[in-house]
Amino acid sequence: MAVDQDLLNPAWLAEIEDYSLLSRLVVEGLLPGLHRSLHHGRGTEFLQYRDYVPGEDLKLIDWKVYAKRGELLAKTYREDTNVNLYLVIDASGSMGYQGDRSSCDKLRYACMAAACIAYLANRQGDRMGLFSYGDEIREWLPPRNGSGQLNRIFQGLAQLNASGVSNHQTSWETLTRALPGRGLVVFLSDCLEAEEELPELLRFAHSPRYDCLCLQVLDPDEIDLPHEEALLFEDMEDGRQTPTHPDATRERYVGEMESFRQDLTDNLGVVGVEFDTLTTHSDLGQALRKFLHTRRLGF
């Protein structure tokens, strides 16, 4: 079954302020393409009913409900391998950048992706937590399960604003001391100028008790520097200004950006972190598929 791309398009989704509605539209719209990856569970604790998706195992259907109401509903069960999921979001000033080709800034995109991952994790019975920081900790919700926790995460995401510098060191040291005994961490950040620092801070992913997925969120402008006229670039974290003419610097910039991203990929791989790059004009399906892939590998 084809997925309606509008349901995944950030240009449309950015207009929806309610993260509960946004995540439900994305995940429920994408489920037909993801149902074989979802951990519906074969345990003994009933979790919920959901619409049956053509092509799934017929054993999932509750035939008693079909006989009474004529509806094809699938039963899902809570798995014994539920995950402690921590969503970690960089809300520093650089995450507030939005170029002309994007309908939202990087932080908004990261929050939309995080909301969809939280919604999907809640469907699977996972315990979910939220940790966000810039120059200081902005939000901290230890992992819990249930719709109440999901709503608290949505509320926390709605309150985030991009400001300050990225205090990766202190923030990650604080979080790793409080991580549950086993879990999956999903980190959303632009990771700018942190290709050496972040891998050391995410070294906990080497432990068999933890898995970490790093989703780098970039504006397309940051990848190919499309501007033609002379510009004055201002650092969104410390205010430093750099005058430049893109035509004269584009080739060097693109090369250095590719080198940075490759170094980040390699360095994170050494410490066992799954990594992917998302751009703010690309659909949200990539983030959900990467989350499910990491969850299956680790758990």
Side-chain angles (χ1 to χ4, degrees):
M1 184 182 297
V3 179
D4 184 346
Q5 290 303 308
D6 285 342
L7 293 175
L8 308 176
N9 187 345
W12 179 72
L13 294 171
E15 301 296 322
I16 303 175
E17 295 184 4
D18 185 343
Y19 281 113
S20 176
L21 173 61
L22 183 153
S23 60
R24 186 166 67 250
L25 288 172
V26 171
V27 174
E28 300 297 337
L30 193 59
L31 277 177
L34 290 177
H35 69 270
R36 287 187 174 84
S37 298
L38 285 171
H39 289 224
H40 291 307
R42 299 287 185 171
T44 57
E45 183 181 354
F46 176 75
L47 179 61
Q48 63 184 0
Y49 283 110
R50 60 174 177 78
D51 291 336
Y52 173 75
V53 178
E56 290 186 295
D57 191 338
L58 293 175
K59 294 179 181 178
L60 295 173
I61 296 175
D62 189 323
W63 294 107
K64 292 181 179 179
V65 171
Y66 178 75
K68 291 180 179 180
R69 296 159 48 185
E71 295 182 71
L72 287 176
L73 296 179
K75 294 184 289 186
T76 62
Y77 297 87
R78 191 177 302 280
E79 285 198 39
D80 297 330
T81 56
N82 298 134
V83 172
N84 289 305
L85 169 67
Y86 245 127
L87 293 162
V88 181
I89 299 180
D90 175 1
S92 61
S94 66
M95 292 291 287
Y97 180 75
Q98 177 181 348
D100 293 338
R101 290 177 287 176
S102 297
S103 55
C104 63
D105 62 31
K106 292 185 287 185
L107 179 59
R108 169 64 167 162
Y109 186 93
C111 288
M112 290 194 298
C116 294
I117 290 172
Y119 183 90
L120 181 53
N122 184 60
R123 281 186 60 104
Q124 299 180 127
D126 294 337
R127 293 169 289 275
M128 306 152 292
L130 174 65
F131 185 87
S132 180
Y133 67 91
D135 47 5
E136 59 184 15
I137 296 171
R138 309 279 177 78
E139 292 286 338
W140 193 356
L141 296 171
R144 295 176 61 185
N145 56 15
S147 58
Q149 177 73 346
L150 182 62
N151 287 329
R152 284 187 284 271
I153 289 175
F154 290 154
Q155 292 168 9
L157 293 173
Q159 294 171 4
L160 292 179
N161 293 298
S163 64
V165 297
S166 302
N167 191 347
H168 298 302
Q169 184 77 34
T170 301
S171 300
W172 274 102
E173 288 177 352
T174 300
L175 177 60
T176 51
R177 286 196 297 268
L179 283 177
R182 175 181 172 87
L184 167 62
V185 175
V186 177
F187 178 40
L188 296 109
S189 169
D190 55 19
C191 306
L192 295 178
E193 299 182 354
E195 67 271 30
E196 301 295 335
E197 180 182 19
L198 282 175
E200 288 303 310
L201 296 173
L202 304 184
R203 188 171 287 277
F204 67 86
H206 247 328
S207 167
R209 296 183 300 159
Y210 300 109
D211 282 276
C212 182
L213 167 62
C214 178
L215 296 174
Q216 182 188 33
V217 180
L218 295 176
D219 189 277
D221 287 1
E222 295 173 312
I223 295 177
D224 58 18
L225 197 66
H227 309 284
E228 299 295 336
E229 69 279 6
L231 295 171
L232 181 66
F233 289 98
E234 181 174 340
D235 192 301
M236 299 182 71
E237 295 189 9
D238 62 19
R240 287 180 300 172
Q241 295 183 335
T242 305
T244 187
H245 196 292
D247 280 345
T249 60
R250 182 174 293 108
E251 183 176 352
R252 177 182 173 186
Y253 172 87
V254 170
E256 291 185 356
M257 174 57 78
E258 290 178 354
S259 178
F260 154 69
R261 292 168 63 197
Q262 188 60 56
D263 288 345
L264 182 63
T265 302
D266 293 343
N267 293 346
L268 288 173
V270 168
V271 297
V273 176
E274 288 281 321
F275 177 78
D276 204 356
T277 297
L278 309 174
T279 56
T280 53
H281 65 343
S282 59
D283 73 54
L284 293 175
Q286 183 178 353
L288 289 174
R289 293 184 186 95
K290 193 70 177 180
F291 164 68
L292 285 172
H293 173 71
T294 304
R295 191 188 187 286
R296 290 201 311 275
L297 288 180
F299 299 92

